[in-house]
């Protein structure tokens, strides 16, 4: 099952996304409420094609906070070292956790704004976890019970500012730095232990950016347990699980597409500030 947030030039609405076997197209089955608000929701009876006129997919959630893990794949840690961005040649033993504010979140096809303070914007395709329940001090073995589902994320990073700011606040947290979408795939409908990630730039596949969550150093349950030990995770909060391999430079006008097998495509275009 897939959960989407959309607009028709009005207030955000929620819908399940279903494929019609008669034409093979995806349709939004509108819901009468907010699925993460704790209320019982039901279909309104309205159905819209995902690619229909006036339909705009939004970020599937606006989280109260976004956490991310850095260097959570050995391949990415080695890439960062070889590219001169890190003195450490291998992934650190302990989790490296950072945050993005809710104002960094945008949705599918929204522009990523290249801030004037940077000259080196990078892409980082990842799988994002969306929390479905309040989670505090959650044990590893129970962690997945608190997950609503998964979506695609591009952890856009200002690489030249990352080295200047130990907290990565500007490098990771600038407006539009957290594209999410196109929708949430429910927890039991994705092989999250081996979700395959790929990336295209201007229509060309970037093989060095691909990977699978099977190679995560700190797995998803371990991430939830660790983060919930110091921070209460709320329904709709997001954890970016890490980028699997090499990242790369972006320029204004570039088209980025994060693809996660079993979820879909998250497309955004870079624009100047």
């Amino acid at each position: 099952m897939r959960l989407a947030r959309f607009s028709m030039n009005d207030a955000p609405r929620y819908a399940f996304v279903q494929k019609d076997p008669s034409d093979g197209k995806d349709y939004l089955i509108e819901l009468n409420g907010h699925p993460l608000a704790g209320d019982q929701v039901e279909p309104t009876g309205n159905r819209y094609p995902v690619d229909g006129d006036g339909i705009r997919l939004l970020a599937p959630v606006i989280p109260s906070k976004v956490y991310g893990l850095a260097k959570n794949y050995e391949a990415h840690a080695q890439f960062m070292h070889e590219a001169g961005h890190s003195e450490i040649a291998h992934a650190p033993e302990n989790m490296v956790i950072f945050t993005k504010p809710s104002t960094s979140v945008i949705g599918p096809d929204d522009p990523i704004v290249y801030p004037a303070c940077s000259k080196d914007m990078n892409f980082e395709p990842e799988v994002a976890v969306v929390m479905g329940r309040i989670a505090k001090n959650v044990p590893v073995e129970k962690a997945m019970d608190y997950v609503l589902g998964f979506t695609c994320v591009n952890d856009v990073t200002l690489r030249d500012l990352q080295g200047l700011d130990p907290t990565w606040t500007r490098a990771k947290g600038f407006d539009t730095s957290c594209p999410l979408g196109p929708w949430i795939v429910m927890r039991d409908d994705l092989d999250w232990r081996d979700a395959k990630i790929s990336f295209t730039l201007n229509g060309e596949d970037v093989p060095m950016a691909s990977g699978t969550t099977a190679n995560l150093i700190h797995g998803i349950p371990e991430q939830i347990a660790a983060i919930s030990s110091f921070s209460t995770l709320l329904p709709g909060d997001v954890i970016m699980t890490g980028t699997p391999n090499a990242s790369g430079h972006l320029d204004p006008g570039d088209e980025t597409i994060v693809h996660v097998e079993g979820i879909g495509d998250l497309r955004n275009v870079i624009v100047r500030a």
Side-chain angles (χ1 to χ4, degrees):
M1 183 181 294
R2 295 171 288 171
L3 176 66
R5 184 168 165 266
F6 73 104
S7 171
M8 298 176 67
N9 296 319
D10 55 8
R13 313 183 195 189
Y14 288 86
F16 291 129
V17 184
Q18 293 182 354
K19 188 176 294 295
D20 189 329
S22 68
D23 60 12
K25 294 183 178 180
D26 286 323
Y27 288 86
L28 298 164
I29 310 302
E30 186 182 15
L31 302 173
N32 64 357
H34 189 325
L36 289 173
D39 300 327
Q40 186 71 31
V41 296
E42 297 178 351
T44 64
N46 296 326
R47 188 180 90 148
Y48 309 100
V50 167
D51 58 356
D53 291 341
I55 299 292
R56 178 188 170 205
L57 288 180
L58 307 174
V61 289
I62 299 297
S64 74
K65 51 194 171 292
V66 178
Y67 285 105
L69 268 74
K71 302 176 185 177
N72 199 26
Y73 291 83
E74 177 63 20
H76 182 63
Q78 291 182 10
F79 164 79
M80 291 290 286
H81 176 69
E82 292 167 2
H85 299 307
S86 173
E87 296 180 356
I88 302 172
H90 298 284
E93 181 178 350
N94 296 320
M95 294 186 195
V96 179
I97 302 171
F98 61 92
T99 65
K100 287 179 183 268
S102 60
T103 48
S104 67
V105 174
I106 57 173
D109 296 317
D110 287 342
I112 300 169
V113 181
Y114 205 132
C117 61
S118 174
K119 292 182 173 57
D120 189 13
M121 176 184 280
N122 278 210
F123 58 79
E124 293 192 8
E126 307 185 16
V127 172
V129 178
V130 181
M131 303 303 296
R133 296 167 52 192
I134 296 174
K136 178 63 178 175
N137 292 324
V138 174
V140 171
E141 60 271 18
K142 297 286 187 181
M144 297 310 294
D145 294 343
Y146 293 80
V147 172
L148 175 68
F150 306 90
T151 191
C152 305
V153 62
N154 192 348
D155 175 20
V156 186
T157 302
L158 305 178
R159 197 68 75 197
D160 51 349
L161 298 188
Q162 190 172 13
L164 301 177
D165 186 350
T167 62
W168 301 350
T169 301
R170 291 175 296 165
K172 295 283 193 178
F174 65 95
D175 288 353
T176 75
S177 66
C178 189
L180 292 172
W183 38 60
I184 299 167
V185 171
M186 298 297 103
R187 179 193 61 210
D188 295 335
D189 294 331
L190 183 77
D191 182 4
W192 51 269
R193 294 180 181 84
D194 187 18
K196 295 175 175 58
I197 305 163
S198 57
F199 182 78
T200 63
L201 180 62
N202 300 324
E204 298 291 330
D205 183 46
V206 183
M208 282 299 295
S210 64
T212 168
T213 55
N215 294 329
L216 282 169
I217 295 171
H218 305 288
I220 291 171
E222 288 76 17
Q223 294 178 41
I224 295 169
I227 293 170
S228 72
S229 72
F230 67 84
S231 176
T232 300
L233 293 166
L234 303 178
D237 281 352
V238 168
I239 298 174
M240 304 184 301
T241 56
T243 196
N245 207 320
S247 58
H249 181 77
L250 295 170
D251 289 307
D254 283 348
E255 178 194 58
T256 68
I257 298 178
V258 176
H259 177 78
V260 177
E261 186 176 304
I263 299 178
D265 293 335
L266 170 64
R267 175 189 177 273
N268 300 92
V269 173
I270 315 302
V271 301
R272 292 188 183 278

